[in-house]
């Protein structure tokens, strides 16, 4: 370790957490904490991260589940929650729809699809999940393939988001056309 290596200062971390607790209400802290939960997690753990009582966390998590922001497994004991990635994708697609015209979105999708075709040609498959980077013997080859596959997965997500944004723009904020 050199003198330039960052050393976590627990006091500074605790100070940031304390300011977060003081400047955010309980709902905001539960919301922020829930967005960081990528797998079903007991509400008691989310309460601990949010710095609130388990009862308050459960109340707010149930509200967030009703809003579609988190998914709930109420049958588990204790109840568990995780963020709803579909909600986050909808929010991102809605933002794209507000910021771009239909023509811009269509052009972007065409560009992204051209990039997808390059991956399909390179890997000789249309499914990036069917490829294992570990089929290579050399560490550098494994790393290179892992990076390429990660980029391909991100590209697929971008295509999905822009296609969703196109539908939103073309249908006045809806996924399907509204009846006249």
């Amino acid at each position: 370790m050199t003198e330039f290596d960052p050393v976590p200062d627990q006091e500074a971390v605790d100070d940031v957490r304390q300011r977060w607790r003081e400047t955010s209400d309980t709902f905001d802290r539960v919301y922020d904490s829930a967005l960081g939960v990528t797998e079903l997690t007991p509400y008691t753990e989310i309460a601990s991260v949010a710095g609130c009582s388990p009862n308050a966390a459960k109340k707010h998590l149930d509200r967030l589940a009703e809003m579609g922001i988190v998914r709930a497994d109420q049958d588990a004991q204790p109840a568990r929650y995780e963020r709803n990635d579909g909600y986050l994708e909808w929010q991102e697609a809605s933002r794209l729809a507000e910021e771009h015209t239909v023509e811009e979105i269509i052009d972007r999708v065409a560009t992204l699809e051209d990039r997808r075709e390059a991956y399909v040609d390179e890997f000789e498959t249309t499914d990036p999940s069917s490829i294992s980077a570990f089929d290579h013997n050399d560490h550098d080859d494994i790393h290179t393939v892992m990076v390429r596959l990660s980029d391909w997965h991100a590209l697929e997500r971008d295509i999905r988001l822009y296609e969703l944004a196109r539908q939103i723009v073309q249908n006045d904020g809806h996924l399907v056309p509204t009846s006249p």
Side-chain angles (χ1 to χ4, degrees):
M1 190 180 250
T2 70
E3 65 181 279
F4 298 108
D5 289 337
V7 177
D9 180 355
Q10 191 59 44
E11 189 175 315
V13 170
D14 291 342
D15 184 50
V16 168
R17 284 186 181 139
Q18 185 60 34
R19 278 185 284 154
W20 177 60
R21 286 185 181 117
E22 290 171 357
T23 59
S24 302
D25 67 14
T26 304
F27 179 81
D28 288 342
R29 292 194 314 272
V30 170
Y31 176 86
D32 289 345
S33 299
L35 289 182
V37 176
T38 59
E39 60 186 38
L40 287 170
T41 302
Y43 73 91
T44 52
E45 288 181 32
I46 297 170
S48 178
V49 171
C52 66
S53 73
N55 287 342
K58 183 156 185 350
K59 176 181 91 171
H60 294 308
L61 288 164
D62 287 342
R63 181 175 164 206
L64 291 168
E66 287 174 14
M67 297 165 68
I69 297 169
V70 300
R71 285 188 293 212
D73 179 0
Q74 298 286 359
D75 295 332
Q77 291 299 323
R80 300 168 178 256
Y81 300 83
E82 68 182 338
R83 76 172 180 227
N84 179 355
D85 288 333
Y87 168 80
L88 297 175
E89 283 192 2
W90 172 260
Q91 290 298 314
E92 180 67 13
S94 295
R95 183 188 62 76
L96 291 170
E98 288 176 13
E99 294 176 357
H100 301 285
T101 66
V102 171
E103 294 77 21
E104 290 171 333
I105 292 171
I106 290 171
D107 288 346
R108 180 68 178 146
V109 169
T111 300
L112 294 171
E113 288 176 340
D114 288 345
R115 288 182 47 209
R116 175 198 281 157
E117 280 305 309
Y119 284 113
V120 169
D121 291 345
E122 176 183 348
F123 290 103
E124 299 177 346
T125 182
T126 58
D127 181 12
S129 300
S130 69
I131 301 165
S132 172
F134 299 107
D135 289 342
H136 297 81
N137 294 325
D138 181 77
H139 173 74
D140 289 338
D141 288 344
I142 291 171
H143 177 74
T144 299
V145 171
M146 288 177 78
V147 168
R148 300 285 293 150
L149 290 174
S150 176
D151 291 346
W152 191 0
H153 282 285
L155 175 72
E156 293 293 342
R157 179 181 183 277
D158 287 350
I159 290 171
R160 197 170 55 250
L161 289 174
Y162 275 92
E163 275 297 320
L164 183 57
R166 180 191 55 76
Q167 291 174 1
I168 292 169
V169 171
Q170 287 179 327
N171 297 310
D172 296 323
H174 302 279
L175 277 179
V176 293
T178 55
S179 333

